[in-house]
């Protein structure tokens, strides 16, 4: 007997709801009281906080400091009406001001509010702006990053991330109306990626080309589509995703960050070349930045709280620290391990083991502030150092007469554009690139680059001519 259409729809809705509950409910319990023959006891599980909207907690810094419009007041026009320049930005008037904090407000009044830069007429060549977002906390992306632009999406953007609180940066994704022209990269979409190259840094053109519509406002960093490579299009097979997070090198760290940075390199042009007779229509304006993420707690906490202005994991499993990245006093420091998603569905908690006698073990003099440990049996470690005797380095550090921050490595801080990492301390860049991670084209924004290239080619041509001439003379 065929099922009634309404019943079939109800069944599908219940199935979808069940899938959503299963997905959201994974790894949200750290421990449970269970009954045994010896009485009640705690059973521990790997656990993580629920996703949150991180725009509520981010600190925004805009550079250069005078790039925000309004001081002095300035007129601007739009790409739709390029010669009707009646709009004004004035920092001294609330209704006409566009400060950076409007990128993260809730817009409860129903009116769209936005941050806005000065027009291109104030910075003739070129108009550049950096937006740095910080949390003073390790976070893990759980959904797409979405940036909403008003008055047109920029034609060239770079989204960067940092894993060490802004000391070093690496590209997350490139955006351009012409990827080859802007970055020397072939355009790609996340849908073109596979399980073997899901962490590849790509350049996409789908968010930068001018479409002439005010409705095309959003620029995304696609997280769900990357998850879907492992979990399926409806994210129903989350077990497979979590298994890959454990087994695939660098996958979990790809979605981890402490800071994000948006480099705005060229504003919306309206589908034409720069019209220098009217630079008042070129500027940047952002009304909203959404960062769906969770606190990274190394699978040792089910909640994350705001304390003293900073996000802090509510650590379980005898762990402590902002990211639950160390054992509590009285527990063996070297027994600390991050929790594991495996075996699904509850994972492995990897709780810190209790210490035995806390005798006075000598501290590593290069990693510790003092030669002897304290009364709890632990040494006071220098920055970047860990271990009971301060003999190990934290992730992102390398032992070199003590722990020093990695400039680059083979996992998190990758040298870009074909550069190679030398002893975790320097990227050896190809001739056409420079920067700490070889992230900058050597000739970008510099005068005389074409001339330098031409000079190099001329010298090479002359050398070849002399060689050919010598060969001709030898055969004469």
């Amino acid at each position: 007997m065929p099922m009634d259409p309404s019943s079939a729809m109800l069944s599908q809705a219940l199935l979808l709801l069940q899938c959503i509950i299963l997905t959201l409910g994974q790894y949200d319990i750290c421990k449970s009281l269970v009954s045994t023959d010896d009485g009640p006891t705690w059973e521990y599980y790997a656990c993580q906080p629920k996703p949150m909207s991180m725009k509520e907690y981010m600190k925004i810094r805009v550079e250069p400091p005078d790039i925000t419009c309004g001081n002095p007041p300035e007129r601007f026009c739009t790409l739709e009406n390029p010669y009707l320049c009646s709009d004004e930005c004035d920092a001294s008037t609330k209704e006409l001001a566009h400060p950076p904090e409007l990128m993260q407000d809730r817009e409860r009044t129903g009116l769209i509010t936005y941050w806005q830069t000065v027009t291109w007429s104030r910075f003739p060549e070129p108009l550049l702006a950096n937006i740095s977002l910080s949390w003073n906390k390790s976070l893990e992306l759980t959904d797409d990053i979405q940036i909403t632009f008003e008055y047109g999406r920029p034609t060239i953007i770079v989204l960067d991330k940092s894993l060490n609180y802004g000391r070093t940066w690496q590209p997350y994704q490139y955006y351009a109306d012409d990827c080859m022209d802007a970055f020397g990269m072939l355009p790609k979409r996340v849908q073109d990626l596979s399980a073997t190259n899901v962490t590849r840094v790509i350049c996409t053109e789908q968010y930068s080309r001018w479409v002439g519509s005010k409705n095309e406002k959003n620029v995304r960093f696609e997280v769900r589509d990357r998850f879907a490579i492992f979990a399926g299009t409806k994210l129903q097979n989350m077990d497979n995703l979590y298994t890959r997070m454990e087994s695939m090198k660098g996958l979990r760290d790809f979605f981890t960050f402490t800071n994000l940075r948006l480099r705005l390199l060229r504003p919306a042009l309206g589908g034409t070349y720069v019209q220098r007779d009217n630079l008042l229509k070129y500027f940047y304006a952002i009304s909203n930045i959404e960062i769906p993420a969770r606190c990274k707690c190394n699978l040792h906490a089910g909640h994350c709280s705001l304390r003293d202005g900073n996000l802090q994991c509510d650590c379980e499993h005898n762990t402590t620290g902002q990211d639950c990245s160390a054992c509590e006093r009285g527990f063996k420091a070297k027994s600390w391990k991050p929790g594991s998603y495996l075996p699904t569905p509850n994972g492995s908690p990897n709780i810190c083991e209790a210490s035995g006698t806390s005798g006075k073990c000598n501290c590593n003099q290069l990693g510790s502030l003092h030669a002897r440990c304290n009364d709890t049996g632990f040494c006071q470690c220098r920055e970047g150092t860990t271990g009971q005797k301060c003999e190990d380095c934290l992730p992102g550090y390398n032992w070199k007469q003590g722990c020093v921050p990695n400039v680059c490595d083979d996992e998190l801080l990758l040298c870009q554009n074909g550069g190679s990492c030398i002893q975790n301390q320097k990227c050896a860049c190809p001739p056409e690139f420079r920067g700490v991670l070889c992230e900058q084209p050597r000739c970008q924004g510099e005068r005389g680059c074409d001339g330098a290239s031409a000079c190099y080619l001329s010298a090479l041509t002359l050398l070849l001519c002399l060689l050919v001439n010598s060969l001709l003379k030898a055969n004469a």
Side-chain angles (χ1 to χ4, degrees):
M1 180 174 167
M3 184 180 289
D4 179 72
S6 60
S7 300
M9 187 177 297
L10 179 61
S11 298
Q12 291 178 354
L14 289 173
L15 179 62
L16 179 60
L17 180 61
Q18 183 181 19
C19 291
I20 292 173
I21 291 172
L22 286 173
T23 299
L24 295 178
Q26 283 184 304
Y27 305 105
D28 61 345
I29 300 175
C30 297
K31 60 185 178 182
S32 177
L33 197 61
V34 297
S35 297
T36 67
D37 293 340
D38 299 324
T41 185
W42 287 109
E43 187 170 87
Y44 295 93
Y45 318 105
C47 53
Q48 59 188 4
K50 288 182 170 60
M52 300 190 293
S53 175
M54 290 298 170
K55 80 171 184 178
E56 309 289 332
Y57 308 99
M58 67 187 180
K59 295 179 176 63
I60 301 176
R61 187 178 76 234
V62 172
E63 298 173 309
D66 57 348
I67 197 72
T68 300
C69 69
N71 188 20
E74 182 182 11
R75 290 186 304 111
F76 64 93
C77 36
T78 65
L79 293 167
E80 289 82 7
N81 298 298
Y83 294 100
L84 184 63
C85 303
S86 57
D87 295 314
E88 186 177 8
C89 179
D90 185 349
S92 64
T93 304
K94 183 178 180 180
E95 292 75 17
L96 300 177
H98 299 287
E101 54 266 26
L102 295 183
M103 287 186 267
Q104 62 185 136
D105 67 327
R106 286 184 172 272
E107 299 177 340
R108 291 185 174 88
T109 62
L111 298 175
I112 295 177
T113 58
Y114 51 90
W115 165 76
Q116 183 177 325
T117 69
V118 297
T119 65
W120 202 333
S121 62
R122 291 274 304 277
F123 287 83
E125 196 65 44
L127 184 65
L128 304 176
N130 285 348
I131 302 168
S132 298
L133 312 175
S134 62
W135 290 265
N136 194 31
K137 177 77 181 73
S138 296
L139 305 174
E140 296 174 317
L141 288 172
T142 57
D143 210 328
D144 294 359
I145 295 174
Q146 179 173 291
I147 303 104
T148 304
F149 288 88
E150 304 297 328
Y151 301 105
R153 298 179 296 191
T155 53
I156 303 179
I157 311 173
V158 180
L159 176 65
D160 295 325
K161 78 165 184 175
S162 174
L163 286 159
N164 52 16
Y165 304 97
R167 287 200 301 270
T168 58
W169 297 88
Q170 56 184 298
Y172 228 170
Q173 190 151 300
Y174 297 95
Y175 303 83
D177 58 344
D178 188 328
C179 285
M180 184 59 69
D181 180 64
F183 301 111
M185 301 171 66
L186 291 173
K188 277 189 177 294
R189 296 166 60 103
V190 172
Q191 292 87 337
D192 301 328
L193 299 176
S194 65
T196 57
N197 63 1
V198 67
T199 60
R200 176 177 293 177
V201 177
I202 65 170
C203 179
T204 179
E205 295 179 351
Q206 69 186 104
Y207 299 108
S208 303
R209 290 188 170 169
W210 178 255
V211 292
S213 171
K214 285 186 176 181
N215 296 326
E216 295 292 340
K217 295 182 175 184
N218 295 326
V219 171
R220 292 180 178 272
F221 177 74
E222 303 96 331
V223 172
R224 290 180 67 85
D225 287 344
R226 287 179 167 89
F227 287 170
I229 292 174
F230 305 107
T233 54
K234 296 182 180 179
L235 301 186
Q236 292 180 338
N237 190 7
M238 292 297 287
D239 280 0
N240 188 46
L241 173 63
Y242 288 129
T243 299
R244 292 297 189 114
M245 288 283 193
E246 289 291 331
S247 61
M248 186 173 174
K249 185 178 181 181
L251 180 61
R252 189 174 178 190
D253 290 324
F254 179 78
F255 299 105
T256 301
F257 62 96
T258 59
N259 301 64
L260 294 172
R261 180 175 66 185
L262 202 61
R263 286 189 279 147
L264 308 177
L265 303 181
R266 186 182 295 165
L269 302 181
T272 65
Y273 293 102
V274 177
Q275 296 177 342
R276 299 190 179 278
D277 60 331
N278 185 15
L279 295 176
L280 296 177
K281 62 181 179 179
Y282 303 123
F283 53 89
Y284 304 106
I286 296 179
S287 59
N288 192 41
I289 299 179
E290 287 292 346
I291 315 283
R294 64 165 52 93
C295 294
K296 181 175 181 178
C297 301
N298 288 293
L299 291 175
H300 287 312
H303 299 93
C304 191
S305 305
L306 189 67
R307 283 179 248 162
D308 299 325
N310 291 312
L311 290 169
Q312 173 89 33
C313 297
D314 299 337
C315 299
E316 302 274 0
H317 306 158
N318 306 323
T319 63
T320 187
Q322 195 175 20
D323 299 343
C324 305
S325 56
C327 290
E328 288 185 318
R329 286 188 175 185
F331 294 86
K332 295 179 182 177
K334 293 198 75 171
S335 71
W336 184 90
K337 289 173 60 178
S340 172
Y341 287 116
L342 301 178
T344 58
N346 293 324
S348 303
N350 296 332
I351 64 176
C352 287
E353 299 173 7
S355 296
T357 57
S358 57
K360 296 267 186 177
C361 321
N362 290 331
C363 301
N364 186 301
Q365 295 186 14
L366 294 175
S368 174
L369 294 173
H370 308 288
R372 298 277 180 180
C373 57
N374 56 29
D375 292 334
T376 66
F378 293 94
C379 303
Q380 188 175 355
C381 298
R382 298 179 186 273
E383 181 182 357
T385 312
T386 188
Q388 189 171 8
K389 295 185 179 181
C390 305
E391 70 277 29
D392 295 326
C393 292
L394 291 170
Y397 289 80
N398 184 48
W399 187 269
K400 190 176 182 181
Q401 297 297 306
C403 294
V404 295
N406 289 351
V407 173
C408 57
D409 55 42
D410 295 327
E411 295 184 27
L412 306 181
L413 303 170
L414 299 177
C415 298
Q416 307 296 316
N417 300 303
S420 57
C421 187
I422 300 175
Q423 297 181 348
N424 296 94
Q425 293 301 304
K426 182 179 180 181
C427 283
C429 302
E432 62 271 27
F433 291 95
R434 65 178 180 180
V436 175
L437 296 174
C438 307
E439 72 276 15
Q440 301 176 15
R442 187 169 293 277
C443 290
Q444 185 178 29
E446 293 184 0
R447 295 181 179 178
C449 278
D450 292 338
S453 300
C455 180
Y456 171 77
L457 291 174
S458 299
L460 184 61
T461 304
L462 178 61
L463 184 61
L464 289 173
C465 288
L466 290 173
L467 181 60
V468 171
N469 190 44
S470 299
L471 290 173
L472 289 174
K473 285 183 178 180
N475 293 328

